[in-house]
Amino acid sequence: CDGTFHCLDLSDECNEECTKEILEGYWLKFLSWTFGVLAVICNVFVIRRRILSMAKCQNSNSLTNTTFVLLISIGDLLVGTYLLCVALVDSYYKNSYCSRQREWLVKKQCVVLGVLSTTGTHISIFSMTILSL
């Protein structure tokens, strides 16, 4: 389990001794769960508040700003959901991830998580860029 692939079937890397995980180390696991939970809870709160405050907007500038803050929260909610899902998948596979890596990487769930992460990041970055103009 040295990280160098010599065989196409990964038999040199994924043997009984290999304990490779998606999230290596306690701190990475802890931070993924913590930031995932915080991102989901806080952004659900912000989304709810922004939707309620949209009706109270007096002019187009405040409505525009509120909309972009709402979009940032939606993007961050998607990224937080991604973090929680990756932490869940890591808990599911535990030390057997190395031998099941190919299986996971071709699953629809993995593709959906990749789309979720990319979409959330792009929404947040786009909204922050427009909001800063």
Side-chain angles (χ1 to χ4, degrees):
C1 209
D2 63 0
T4 305
F5 298 106
H6 301 288
C7 302
L8 289 177
D9 66 353
L10 305 179
S11 60
D12 61 324
E13 290 302 306
C14 297
N15 50 42
E16 299 81 35
E17 299 165 10
C18 185
T19 58
K20 183 178 175 186
E21 300 179 53
I22 295 174
L23 300 173
E24 295 283 344
Y26 170 79
W27 281 107
L28 193 53
K29 293 174 191 300
F30 173 76
L31 291 173
S32 294
W33 281 105
T34 303
F35 286 131
V37 168
L38 285 174
V40 168
I41 291 171
C42 293
N43 284 298
V44 165
F45 176 74
V46 170
I47 290 168
R48 183 181 173 279
R49 295 270 318 246
R50 288 297 164 178
I51 289 174
L52 294 175
S53 72
M54 284 180 111
K56 300 174 188 172
C57 290
Q58 300 293 325
N59 56 42
S60 64
N61 271 350
S62 65
L63 181 61
T64 302
N65 289 341
T66 299
T67 302
F68 281 114
V69 171
L70 177 64
L71 284 172
I72 292 168
S73 295
I74 290 169
D76 291 347
L77 175 66
L78 293 175
V79 172
T81 304
Y82 164 79
L83 277 174
L84 283 178
C85 290
V86 168
L88 278 170
V89 170
D90 179 67
S91 296
Y92 174 75
Y93 283 114
K94 295 191 186 216
N95 292 335
S96 69
Y97 176 70
C98 188
S99 60
R100 299 171 75 183
Q101 182 176 3
R102 278 188 170 176
E103 170 192 327
W104 167 246
L105 291 176
V106 298
K107 281 189 172 184
K108 287 181 181 144
Q109 294 92 332
C110 181
V111 173
V112 169
L113 284 180
V115 170
L116 196 70
S117 169
T118 304
T119 303
T121 303
H122 280 88
I123 289 172
S124 291
I125 290 173
F126 170 76
S127 300
M128 283 189 272
T129 302
I130 298 299
L131 192 59
S132 69
L133 296 176

